[in-house]
Amino acid sequence: QSLGLSITDEQIQEMEANLDNIDFKMAAEEEKKLRHDVMAHVHTFAYCCPKAAAIIHLGATSCYVGDNTDLIVLRDGFNLLLPKLARVISRLADFAEKYADMPALGFTHYQPAQLTTVGKRCCLWIQDLCMDLQNLERARDDLRFRGVKGTTGTQASFLQLFEGDHSKVEELDRLVTAKAGFKRAYMVTGQTYSRKVDIGVLAVLASLGASIHKICTDIRLLANLKEIEEPFEKDQIGSSAMPYKRNPMRSERCCSLARHLMTLVMDPLQTAAVQWFERTLDDSANRRVCLAEAFLTADIILSTLQNVSEGLVVYPKVIERRIRQELPFMATENIIMAMVKAGGNRQDCHEKIRVLSQQAAAVVKQEGGDNDFIARVRADPYFSPIHKQLESLLDPSSFTGRAPQQVAKFLKEEVQPALIPYQSEMGGKIELAL
């Protein structure tokens, strides 16, 4: 109307008054007859708006309705997920800060490695989720509107309506795009927006799924080690047959659903690959399933992980015991350095330690005993020059490097700024139903 078409205020007011007056029964009957979902609703809307019936859907195509709506839904879906992801990051950041200094045995290849801290390990999880936060924001902000493009993307119908005035067609495209809350529209489309857009959307959700699967797998492994556990309710039953069990069922649920989320990106990959020329309709049914499922799956995984991160339980004594079992071997280099400083020969010391460590390893592996390497060092007169230093040489905090400082710097300089846009939505704990 503002660009000069013959549309009355009365027609516009009639449509506005009936926006929520949807006769779904009539629409279903129309679709059964017409075999066309959009036209079923065009007819139903026209029935409610007899004065506006002549101009409803004027110049448009079904994908003007469906694709533009999908883009709005995708954008709004990201806006629902982002605060949930930010809350998970915030809860894990609190956990990392609390345990920034607590030494813990590190693992590479799931074999004992140098020490880290409980908080530093948590920062590995947080960093991945911060990447996901950035990726989701970028994917949302990169979305454009399909806009007003016509049946094959040429805008021919609108050019005819405006009697060949290209500037009015472009202005219509701009106005509709702005009304939908988008800054830009795709400059070229076929009948649909490029299905590569869906790949980008589901790829970042799949990447989020991979992050959460890794985090929850770590929690499951730590539960087996009895170092850290997810929340376990007072009356919760871990197993119908084994009453003592405390299965990490929330983390397992996250892993289970994350695998589904990661596989969903295969749908838009294949859909984009087989779109013929300006479009084919074999995309539609697939997209109705995979796009919705991806957002719903990401949503419940984030809710579950928030619940887990709000109730993580740490067992310091178990962590300390595991360090005591492995630290003696890790301290061998420090012992060699101390002996050399005390006047010893590096090669002689290395051989002494090699023999004693092999003996201690045999006790652990063959007899099932505790690591007695340090006791053997204390009993050997060769090491008497450093016997008084052994306690300080075995202080776990001296093996964690800059882990506490890394945690503090990471949380301050990377995590806190990333969470600023979501500060008003950080409240409330998640209580999970069955």
Side-chain angles (χ1 to χ4, degrees):
Q1 186 197 55
S2 65
L3 293 171
L5 290 189
S6 180
I7 297 170
T8 67
D9 289 342
E10 190 177 21
Q11 287 174 316
I12 293 173
Q13 291 164 5
E14 184 183 53
M15 289 189 291
E16 287 179 338
N18 285 281
L19 278 176
D20 299 317
N21 179 25
I22 305 173
D23 187 339
F24 286 102
K25 184 177 179 181
M26 179 182 179
E29 291 171 352
E30 287 288 327
E31 184 171 356
K32 187 175 181 179
K33 179 174 62 177
L34 302 174
R35 307 301 296 174
H36 197 288
D37 55 351
V38 173
M39 283 305 294
H41 277 277
V42 168
H43 283 206
T44 303
F45 193 33
Y47 181 80
C48 297
C49 307
K51 295 175 184 176
I55 54 109
I56 290 174
H57 207 60
L58 182 62
T61 184
S62 298
C63 287
Y64 167 76
V65 178
D67 271 34
N68 279 325
T69 300
D70 285 343
L71 290 161
I72 292 171
V73 171
L74 294 176
R75 179 197 63 195
D76 292 353
F78 279 128
N79 286 334
L80 290 171
L81 292 181
L82 281 162
K84 291 195 168 195
L85 176 53
R87 281 198 293 272
V88 171
I89 293 171
S90 174
R91 304 306 189 263
L92 290 175
D94 291 341
F95 180 86
E97 184 176 33
K98 181 177 180 180
Y99 294 101
D101 299 328
M102 180 179 286
L105 186 63
F107 288 91
T108 60
H109 313 273
Y110 201 37
Q111 302 299 314
Q114 286 291 332
L115 300 191
T116 182
T117 70
V118 173
K120 170 64 191 303
R121 176 179 284 145
C122 182
C123 285
L124 298 178
W125 304 340
I126 296 170
Q127 181 167 252
D128 286 354
L129 294 176
C130 284
M131 292 181 192
D132 293 313
L133 188 76
Q134 186 178 50
N135 289 341
L136 263 64
E137 289 173 339
R138 183 169 57 246
R140 177 198 61 190
D141 296 343
D142 282 349
L143 286 173
R144 301 189 194 185
F145 208 48
R146 179 188 178 272
V148 181
K149 296 297 194 296
T151 55
T152 58
T154 65
Q155 299 177 304
S157 58
F158 298 100
L159 191 62
Q160 183 177 1
L161 283 172
F162 290 112
E163 298 179 346
D165 190 331
H166 291 268
S167 63
K168 286 190 175 181
V169 176
E170 290 184 352
E171 180 65 3
L172 178 65
D173 203 0
R174 189 193 67 77
L175 288 171
V176 173
T177 297
K179 280 182 176 290
F182 286 80
K183 294 179 180 178
R184 297 181 299 169
Y186 296 107
M187 292 187 70
V188 294
T189 72
Q191 189 171 90
T192 67
Y193 67 79
S194 172
R195 294 310 183 219
K196 284 186 72 68
V197 173
D198 296 341
I199 297 173
V201 169
L202 264 63
V204 297
L205 296 181
S207 183
L208 171 65
S211 299
I212 294 176
H213 199 295
K214 185 266 194 291
I215 293 167
C216 291
T217 299
D218 282 358
I219 293 172
R220 292 162 65 190
L221 293 170
L222 289 166
N224 172 262
L225 297 174
K226 297 180 174 60
E227 292 191 7
I228 293 178
E229 288 181 342
E230 68 178 37
F232 198 86
E233 308 302 333
K234 178 177 177 291
D235 297 319
Q236 184 174 331
I237 293 175
S239 167
S240 62
M242 296 165 279
Y244 60 86
K245 294 195 77 178
R246 291 171 64 100
N247 298 331
M249 49 83 70
R250 291 173 174 85
S251 298
E252 290 172 319
R253 183 184 301 168
C254 284
C255 288
S256 181
L257 290 172
R259 286 201 300 274
H260 178 60
L261 179 56
M262 287 186 283
T263 64
L264 287 173
V265 72
M266 291 305 299
D267 276 343
L269 280 168
Q270 295 180 71
T271 294
V274 300
Q275 286 298 286
W276 302 346
F277 302 116
E278 280 63 52
R279 76 87 52 103
T280 63
L281 195 60
D282 64 341
D283 63 336
S284 179
N286 182 290
R287 294 175 65 255
R288 292 173 194 233
V289 176
C290 73
L291 295 180
E293 279 197 9
F295 279 87
L296 291 169
T297 304
D299 183 273
I300 190 57
I301 294 174
L302 287 171
S303 293
T304 307
L305 184 57
Q306 181 184 334
N307 174 260
V308 170
S309 61
E310 287 173 346
L312 287 171
V313 181
V314 178
Y315 296 104
K317 295 299 182 183
V318 178
I319 295 172
E320 291 171 11
R321 181 174 182 272
R322 184 155 285 109
I323 290 174
R324 287 197 305 271
Q325 290 174 334
E326 302 294 342
L327 190 60
F329 292 153
M330 296 177 193
T332 55
E333 187 174 9
N334 286 2
I335 292 172
I336 291 174
M337 296 300 104
M339 280 295 295
V340 170
K341 288 179 181 179
N345 179 287
R346 193 264 178 198
Q347 312 312 327
D348 293 341
C349 185
H350 183 279
E351 179 59 19
K352 282 277 190 182
I353 288 177
R354 187 189 70 81
V355 172
L356 294 181
S357 62
Q358 294 287 352
Q359 293 171 351
V363 171
V364 173
K365 295 179 179 179
Q366 297 174 20
E367 301 175 17
D370 291 333
N371 189 331
D372 63 0
F373 172 72
I374 296 301
R376 293 176 185 275
V377 171
R378 290 186 190 280
D380 193 323
Y382 174 81
F383 293 99
S384 59
I386 64 163
H387 280 170
K388 292 182 179 179
Q389 299 179 45
L390 286 175
E391 287 300 325
S392 61
L393 291 174
L394 289 165
D395 180 4
S397 63
S398 67
F399 290 82
T400 58
R402 298 192 62 254
Q405 290 75 21
Q406 287 179 343
V407 171
K409 186 177 179 68
F410 172 64
L411 295 181
K412 180 181 179 181
E413 296 186 12
E414 293 201 25
V415 177
Q416 291 176 8
L419 297 180
I420 288 174
Y422 309 99
Q423 288 300 322
S424 64
E425 301 173 271
M426 285 297 179
K429 284 193 171 186
I430 289 286
E431 297 294 338
L432 288 185
L434 287 176

